[in-house]
Amino acid sequence: MIARLLIRIIALAAMAYLVLPLVVIMGASLTQTSYLAFPPQGLTLKWFGVLFDDPSYVSAFITSTLLALAATAVAVLLAVPASLALARYVFAGRAGVSSLLMSPLVLPYVVLGAALLQFGNDFGLARSFEALLVGHVVIVMPFVLRSVLPLLTPEQRALEEASMDLGGTPVATFFLVVLPQIRGGIVSGALLAFISSWINVELSIFNTTSALNTIPVKMFNYVQYTIDPTIAAVSAITIVAAALVIILLDLLIGLDMLSERQQP
Amino acid sequence: MAASRTTLALLLFAPLAFFAAFFLAPMAVVALTSLTTDDGGLTFAHYARILFDQYHWDVLWVTFRIALATTALCLLIGFPLAWYLVRIVRWRSWRRACVILIVVPLFTSNIVRSFGWMVLLGRTGLVNQGLMGMGMTERPIRFLGTETGILIGMVYILMPFVVLSVGNALAKIDTALEDASADLGVGPARTFWFVTLPLCLPGAVSGAIMVFALAVSAYVTPALLSGGQITVFSMLIFQQYSSVFDFHYGGALSVTLLVLTLVLVTLAGRIGERGRRAA
């Protein structure tokens, strides 16, 4: 019983530890003072206004959004055929292909970012939107693969074969049979991909410039020199956006993965 | 069969070409540069520089020390939290809310999360106010620019991985095994030690690997919380590519970090595999 109580206390303290910084940032973004204060002194939304009046923030928001959207779209277009190949075919080097495509998950992003900068330099690609894009595609693709692959089961395959037996062309079968079955995986994978791209610093930082900047990199460079309520306001926006995406994911695929005795 | 080979080739062509061009080729360029001099001759001098320089060993040691402590603390705090969520919480909605609260930080950038700690851990931050209010310290404790500060931020950022992987493993354990152990007259502590723990070990190990690998290569959190006082390995790489512009030496550092990470991940993966087979 004492052990149980102790676990309870540690767990609740851990939850507080996880939530505290986010609450502090959101609170501090509402302060009326021109320095960061928590608890906030007075309530105002003016820091959000300051943000939207600053063209460099607006353009960073646009760059980040376009980058995350494009990277996700390309990653989905590459990951869906790759997962079909990995799930449907037995071929020499299959394990190798699979680890290659998954490896960005464990790779230090700093290394890949540096590599893309240097590689880009040789081809005149460095510090461009394209250089950012290809890097982001590489790091977000594993998320899509990982959520689509488990859906390509033998049962799913049987339906695919039935469609072909009934005279469906491969293209029609893909769009009418396979795609609807893996749509859930594509959507949740794409959401994860979008977020991972949207929050990345380590990879982007090498290929951004003051004119071509993403939100997290801009924040990173800013926070090292100044801390003020505007930065809390940007942070608060990203926290709210993240929370919305997660609630969406929860409704879509159900995040209650910790329920006891769930199906493995 | 020929038709299916063609389909396979069609399916794999674009993803593999993309990865070859924008993942393998850049990495190869880095590896190659790390082995050459400015005029293209082969050299191991850049690696020798890392190997024989005391400064690098110091930085590596700091990096590993922080990563090890981070992993240990993540397990120490993450395990009870996972246990609580899977075994103790009865109210589904509360568990669901907790899971969402654990995942939200994962979806928020390292900057935002580290920034939160910069505010909390400052001289007049909430943590120091709290400690002084409770009379635990007379003067504000300096957290920013110390390893403790970095550690607080790193554990915070990486703990969700442990909670999720241990929690998943715990949720999959068939509690009938524990009941059987109890029926055979084994006490709860021994049942936990000999039945439950081995069963969730693979989950804990895979979570720990993930945390350790991410901690070794972490850049943003240490950069923000160190306030320039402490250097970790990824900062060395960043310096070479952003201010020193020595791609040869930067390349050697990158390859070192990459190899270290891969070795660790493979090693720990083997351990996890063995645990899974034993269980």
Side-chain angles (χ1 to χ4, degrees):
Chain A
M1 269 303 96
I2 290 171
R4 221 177 151 80
L5 187 69
L6 197 66
I7 291 175
R8 233 176 236 276
I9 292 169
I10 297 177
L12 292 176
M15 283 308 297
Y17 172 59
L18 285 174
V19 173
L20 192 62
L22 302 186
V23 172
V24 167
I25 292 171
M26 303 233 269
S29 73
L30 300 173
T31 189
Q32 280 179 354
T33 52
S34 59
Y35 54 91
L36 265 186
F38 187 87
Q41 292 166 13
L43 292 178
T44 174
L45 287 174
K46 74 173 171 188
W47 300 111
F48 293 89
V50 170
L51 213 63
F52 288 110
D53 285 338
D54 181 341
S56 72
Y57 270 114
V58 175
S59 91
F61 259 113
I62 295 173
T63 309
S64 275
T65 312
L66 287 180
L67 180 62
L69 281 177
T72 306
V74 178
V76 167
L77 288 177
L78 294 174
V80 170
S83 32
L84 282 170
L86 290 172
R88 292 278 176 271
Y89 295 88
V90 181
F91 53 95
R94 185 173 165 278
V97 170
S98 155
S99 355
L100 170 69
L101 298 179
M102 289 302 223
S103 61
L105 279 181
V106 292
L107 192 88
Y109 288 166
V110 175
V111 173
L112 182 61
L116 280 169
L117 171 67
Q118 191 191 347
F119 182 70
N121 259 342
D122 298 344
F123 293 89
L125 191 77
R127 301 182 197 279
S128 65
F129 186 80
E130 291 73 21
L132 288 172
L133 178 61
V134 293
H136 279 235
V137 171
V138 168
I139 64 157
V140 306
M141 215 178 101
F143 292 103
V144 187
L145 264 181
R146 217 170 43 172
S147 34
V148 171
L149 261 178
L151 298 180
L152 294 166
T153 54
E155 296 85 65
Q156 184 277 325
R157 169 152 222 194
L159 281 176
E160 204 179 312
E161 278 163 356
S163 156
M164 302 281 269
D165 288 345
L166 293 169
T169 62
V171 174
T173 303
F174 176 77
F175 283 103
L176 297 175
V177 179
V178 184
L179 201 56
Q181 287 176 306
I182 60 172
R183 192 166 46 200
I186 295 178
V187 172
S188 56
L191 279 172
L192 289 171
F194 183 89
I195 285 289
S196 319
S197 160
W198 172 263
I199 67 178
N200 184 281
V201 179
E202 291 93 336
L203 182 68
S204 309
I205 198 163
F206 290 94
N207 275 305
T208 41
T209 62
S210 54
L212 177 78
N213 218 344
T214 66
I215 279 290
V217 175
K218 185 173 170 59
M219 288 170 69
F220 181 68
N221 293 332
Y222 193 88
V223 155
Q224 284 179 311
Y225 304 104
T226 341
I227 290 189
D228 63 25
T230 20
I231 207 81
V234 199
S235 304
I237 293 177
T238 64
I239 295 168
V240 172
L244 288 178
V245 171
I246 288 162
I247 292 170
L248 191 67
L249 265 176
D250 185 41
L251 294 174
L252 219 60
I253 52 170
L255 283 176
D256 192 8
M257 66 274 266
L258 300 184
S259 291
E260 222 171 326
R261 267 168 263 203
Q262 62 165 20
Q263 287 304 309
Chain B
M1 217 43 209
S4 88
R5 288 282 128 186
T6 321
T7 324
L8 177 63
L10 279 175
L11 289 173
L12 278 180
F13 177 76
L16 284 184
F18 195 93
F19 263 62
F22 302 117
F23 179 58
L24 292 179
M27 294 303 221
V29 169
V30 169
L32 216 67
T33 319
S34 75
L35 287 169
T36 51
T37 56
D38 270 332
D39 40 28
L42 187 73
T43 177
F44 289 100
H46 312 298
Y47 288 96
R49 194 172 152 196
I50 300 175
L51 211 59
F52 296 114
D53 184 0
Q54 183 60 40
Y55 177 63
H56 287 102
W57 287 105
D58 292 345
V59 170
L60 260 183
W61 171 232
V62 169
T63 311
F64 269 77
R65 192 167 57 202
I66 293 176
L68 265 179
T70 303
T71 312
L73 283 173
C74 281
L75 282 172
L76 223 59
I77 306 173
F79 202 99
L81 179 54
W83 186 278
Y84 167 80
L85 290 174
V86 176
R87 292 289 176 89
I88 297 183
V89 174
R90 289 276 157 261
W91 191 27
R92 277 190 87 94
S93 315
W94 170 238
R95 175 164 51 220
R96 196 168 177 160
C98 284
V99 171
I100 290 180
L101 288 176
I102 289 168
V103 180
V104 168
L106 278 182
F107 280 54
T108 319
S109 85
N110 289 350
I111 311 279
V112 172
R113 292 184 284 166
S114 309
F115 169 59
W117 284 107
M118 288 170 79
V119 177
L120 276 165
L121 294 176
R123 280 184 63 83
T124 54
L126 214 57
V127 171
N128 267 321
Q129 279 177 30
L131 288 176
M132 289 195 287
M134 286 188 290
M136 286 166 80
T137 174
E138 297 219 330
R139 261 170 291 156
I141 299 176
R142 187 166 155 258
F143 288 107
L144 298 175
T146 67
E147 276 183 38
T148 315
I150 299 181
L151 203 57
I152 293 176
M154 296 271 275
V155 172
Y156 166 71
I157 282 177
L158 297 173
M159 195 171 64
F161 290 108
V162 172
V163 178
L164 293 179
S165 55
V166 171
N168 263 320
L170 273 176
K172 279 178 193 152
I173 291 177
D174 188 351
T175 42
L177 291 170
E178 291 166 345
D179 296 344
S181 166
D183 288 347
L184 293 169
V186 181
R190 283 170 65 86
T191 298
F192 172 76
W193 190 254
F194 290 108
V195 179
T196 319
L197 196 62
L199 284 172
C200 56
L201 207 58
V205 171
S206 73
I209 305 163
M210 188 100 170
V211 166
F212 193 80
L214 289 169
V216 168
S217 59
Y219 172 68
V220 170
T221 311
L224 290 181
L225 295 176
S226 73
Q229 308 281 319
I230 292 165
T231 309
V232 297
F233 205 76
S234 56
M235 292 180 196
L236 293 181
I237 298 181
F238 187 70
Q239 279 163 14
Q240 292 304 319
Y241 281 90
S242 65
S243 47
V244 184
F245 294 111
D246 185 344
F247 286 2
H248 301 288
Y249 182 48
L253 288 168
S254 300
V255 171
T256 308
L257 179 62
L258 187 65
V259 170
L260 270 174
T261 317
L262 289 181
V263 167
L264 283 167
V265 168
T266 323
L267 204 74
R270 291 265 162 81
I271 298 169
E273 193 80 17
R274 197 173 301 162
R276 219 162 299 156
R277 239 178 284 138

